[in-house]
Amino acid sequence: GSLSHLVDCFDWQGVKRPQVPLEQTVVVELDIAGFTAGRDAEAAVPPQHRNTYLGVLDRLEDIKATGATAVLLANVFLSSTKTVAPGANGSSSGVTVDGPEVRRPLSYFAPDTR
């Protein structure tokens, strides 16, 4: 694959390198905020781990249960998550929607300090 050169030079620090052929690879894409702070996460992720990489580790068994052999983390960037949903003919409906599906990037590679 196109990233094989990165895997070949990666220091596995004594851990056995995964031996999953590309044609058998199952990738799951995660939005960290949605996966660690959504309704499904409330029981598994402590409040201090929500919206963090640690929250992903708290739900590792859920990832394994999907049969995934690789995890792709969705872009992390400063964004606006609240928008006004468009109404008929493109007019503003006044309905505010929130969530990862409506993220609007403000600055790529900038940490979100909220």
Side-chain angles (χ1 to χ4, degrees), residues 24-50:
Q24 294 177 7
T25 299
V26 177
V27 179
V28 63
E29 182 178 8
L30 295 180
D31 169 75
I32 293 173
F35 187 69
T36 64
R39 284 191 187 136
D40 293 342
E42 289 177 357
V45 181
Q48 66 272 21
H49 289 181
R50 293 180 185 156

Side-chain angles (χ1 to χ4, degrees), residues 42-67:
E42 289 177 357
V45 181
Q48 66 272 21
H49 289 181
R50 293 180 185 156
N51 297 305
T52 70
Y53 295 114
L54 287 173
V56 174
L57 293 178
D58 291 323
R59 296 199 59 199
L60 195 53
E61 291 305 316
D62 294 333
I63 296 170
K64 288 180 182 179
T66 69

